[in-house]
Amino acid sequence: MENSQIFHDFSVSTSISNDSSSCHLNSSAENQSYEDILNNAVNNSEQNDANEDPESYVVVGQDFEEPVSLEGSVVKDDDEAYELYNSHAFRNGFGTRKGKKEYRSGTRIVRQRFFVCAYEGFKNPDGVVPKSFKTIDRRTGCKASVQFDVDKKTGVYVLSKHSRLHNHSMVPANKRHLIRSHRHISKEQLAFLTTFTCSGTKLADVFRAMRKEVGGEANLGFIVPDAYDAVLAEKKKKLDGCDSNQLIRWFAMRQAKEHDFYYDFQLNEENQLINFFWRDGRMRSDYEAFGDLLIHDTTYRTNKYDMICGPFVGMNLHTQNILFGVGFILNEKAGTFDWLFNSFLTSMGGKQPVTIMTDQSSAMDKAIR
C-alpha cells in the first residue's frame, strides 16, 4: 500500500511537466522536420552530459539582480526567510548560503538574521586538515545579501536590507537547477529511491528512471551525488550505536579466543561504523587450499540495516561452495570496494587468487595492484 502511494505521488508530480513538455514539442514540430528535431535533441544531450559545472555557464557582464527589492517582506520564521531569498536567487541565477545570527544581549533570542550569496567571502585555508584532492574555490567576496530584523514582541522576520549588487556573473536559466542551494530531495523522492535500492536495483538506474519520468534532470530537482548522499544518510539513521559496539566487542572476544581470527572495520568522520569484514581460521585454511578461484557478489541485502553483504566464496574439489570471508558495506562506491578487497587480501597474508569472478572487477584489480 505504501509503495503504491509513493508511485501515485511521484506520478502526479511529474504529469504536469510532461504535459507542458509535449505541448512545446508539438508547436516546435510545425516548423521543423523530424530529423532536425532529433539532431537538436542529440546535440543538446551531448552538451549537457559534457558539462556538469553550473558555474562555468555564466552570462558575462550580468552582475545585477532583477529590479525588484525584497525589502519590507514579512515571514514568520527562519525557514521561510531562507526560502524567500533562495527562491529570489533561483530566478536571478545565483546560489545562497545561511549567514550569521545576532542575538539580543545576554540571551539566545535572535535579533537579526543574514542570508548571503554563495560567492560571499573567501575560504580560510588556516586550520583546514590537508586533503588528497583540491576543489576550486569560486568565492569572489560578493556583498549581495539580505538582512532580517526579528520583532521583539511577535518574533516575525522583517526584511530590512536587501543588497542586490554582485561582483560575478549569473548562471543561465538552463543550468540553475545544478546550483547547490537549489537542489533538494523530497520525502517522496527519497522513499522512491530507498524502496528500489532495497529491492536490489542500482541507485544509478533508479535515478535514470526518475529523470526520464519527469522529462529531464532540470525537473527532477537533484543530481546523482545528492541521491547517493541522501540514501547513505538514511541508512546511517538505521545503524544503532548499541548494535555496532556489541558487534565490535564480539569480534574482539573471538580474536582473543582464536589466534587466527581476523576482523577489520571502517568508521566515518563522525566515528560511526560504515563497513566491516571478518574471517575465521577455517576460512583461512580453505583459502590456502582452494583459493585459486575467488567469487565475490554484492546482491545480498537481507538485513534490517540494508547494508550490502559481500561474501568471498570459493569451490572445493567436490564442487561445493566454501566461504573465505564476509564483508558488510554501506555503499557501492569504488573507495569502499578498495577497502574491502584490501582487507580481504591482508587477512590472507597477501595471497592473490588466480581467477576472480566479481561484479566489481575493476576495484578488485586496483586492490591487487
Side-chain angles (χ1 to χ4, degrees):
M1 181 65 182
E2 294 180 357
N3 292 344
S4 300
Q5 184 64 34
I6 292 172
F7 280 107
H8 175 70
D9 295 341
F10 183 70
S11 301
V12 170
S13 64
T14 58
S15 60
I16 299 176
S17 61
N18 288 336
D19 292 341
S20 60
S21 300
S22 61
C23 295
H24 176 71
L25 290 174
N26 290 335
S27 61
S28 301
E30 295 179 357
N31 300 323
Q32 292 181 333
S33 65
Y34 175 78
E35 293 182 356
D36 292 336
I37 295 175
L38 182 60
N39 291 333
N40 291 336
V42 172
N43 293 335
N44 291 335
S45 177
E46 291 177 350
Q47 182 179 1
N48 292 338
D49 292 339
N51 301 281
E52 298 181 354
D53 187 0
E55 314 299 346
S56 62
Y57 287 86
V58 296
V59 180
V60 178
Q62 184 179 350
D63 298 329
F64 294 90
E65 302 175 12
E66 60 187 15
V68 178
S69 176
L70 298 177
E71 292 182 5
S73 300
V74 179
V75 293
K76 66 178 183 180
D77 55 25
D78 195 272
D79 292 335
E80 286 193 5
Y82 177 72
E83 183 61 29
L84 174 66
Y85 188 50
N86 198 46
S87 300
H88 171 81
F90 181 80
R91 295 192 299 269
N92 288 270
F94 66 94
T96 61
R97 299 201 322 271
K98 294 183 178 181
K100 64 180 180 179
K101 292 181 180 179
E102 291 189 0
Y103 299 92
R104 300 190 184 278
S105 179
T107 68
R108 296 295 295 176
I109 301 175
V110 178
R111 181 174 63 89
Q112 288 182 330
R113 183 61 156 126
F114 297 86
F115 300 100
V116 299
C117 173
Y119 287 90
E120 183 269 343
F122 298 94
K123 289 186 177 180
N124 184 11
D126 297 336
V128 177
V129 178
K131 296 182 180 180
S132 58
F133 61 92
K134 293 183 179 180
T135 57
I136 300 176
D137 184 8
R138 300 188 182 277
R139 297 192 186 182
T140 61
C142 181
K143 299 297 183 181
S145 63
V146 292
Q147 172 184 322
F148 285 89
D149 293 336
V150 183
D151 187 88
K152 188 175 182 179
K153 295 182 179 179
T154 62
V156 298
Y157 284 56
V158 181
L159 202 156
S160 60
K161 184 178 180 181
H162 183 190
S163 177
R164 294 178 289 160
L165 178 62
H166 296 257
N167 63 354
H168 57 87
S169 300
M170 303 297 184
V171 178
N174 64 332
K175 292 296 175 183
R176 291 175 186 175
H177 65 280
L178 298 175
I179 301 175
R180 179 176 298 179
S181 64
H182 305 312
R183 304 197 310 257
H184 173 70
I185 299 180
S186 65
K187 293 181 179 179
E188 293 77 17
Q189 290 172 330
L190 180 57
F192 190 88
L193 290 168
T194 53
T195 298
F196 275 88
T197 52
C198 290
S199 302
T201 307
K202 290 186 176 180
L203 186 59
D205 295 334
V206 182
F207 177 83
R208 282 192 288 268
M210 295 177 67
R211 181 176 60 187
K212 183 178 179 180
E213 182 72 16
V214 299
E217 195 172 71
N219 300 324
L220 191 57
F222 61 92
I223 57 179
V224 174
D226 299 331
Y228 276 102
D229 292 341
V231 172
L232 183 60
E234 192 70 13
K235 289 181 180 179
K236 288 180 181 179
K237 293 179 182 178
K238 298 179 182 179
L239 285 175
D240 188 346
C242 297
D243 288 351
S244 301
N245 293 331
Q246 186 175 357
L247 175 68
I248 301 303
R249 285 196 296 268
W250 182 79
F251 282 157
M253 181 182 65
R254 284 203 59 179
Q255 192 176 55
K257 295 180 179 180
E258 306 171 25
H259 71 279
D260 51 0
F261 182 85
Y262 179 92
Y263 74 95
D264 192 10
F265 60 91
Q266 190 177 31
L267 306 177
N268 60 8
E269 296 81 1
E270 301 174 355
N271 291 324
Q272 296 174 328
L273 181 67
I274 54 176
N275 306 310
F276 59 91
F277 166 83
W278 85 92
R279 64 116 184 102
D280 59 22
R282 175 65 180 273
M283 297 176 186
R284 173 69 182 268
S285 301
D286 288 341
Y287 184 76
E288 292 288 343
F290 308 107
D292 293 341
L293 172 63
L294 178 64
I295 303 171
H296 182 256
D297 193 9
T298 57
T299 58
Y300 306 99
R301 305 188 188 204
T302 56
N303 56 90
K304 72 175 184 177
Y305 297 124
D306 194 33
M307 296 186 73
I308 303 169
C309 178
F312 294 88
V313 183
M315 186 178 296
N316 62 17
L317 296 179
H318 303 284
T319 65
Q320 297 173 334
N321 290 338
I322 50 177
L323 192 62
F324 296 147
V326 181
F328 278 83
I329 55 179
L330 204 57
N331 58 58
E332 296 180 276
K333 295 182 179 179
T336 303
F337 283 107
D338 290 344
W339 173 88
L340 179 60
F341 291 139
N342 279 316
S343 296
F344 172 78
L345 294 176
T346 301
S347 72
M348 299 302 178
K351 179 183 177 181
Q352 301 177 3
V354 177
T355 304
I356 302 172
M357 297 177 62
T358 177
D359 55 351
Q360 298 292 335
S361 58
S362 60
M364 173 65 90
D365 292 341
K366 183 178 179 181
I368 292 176
R369 288 197 297 267

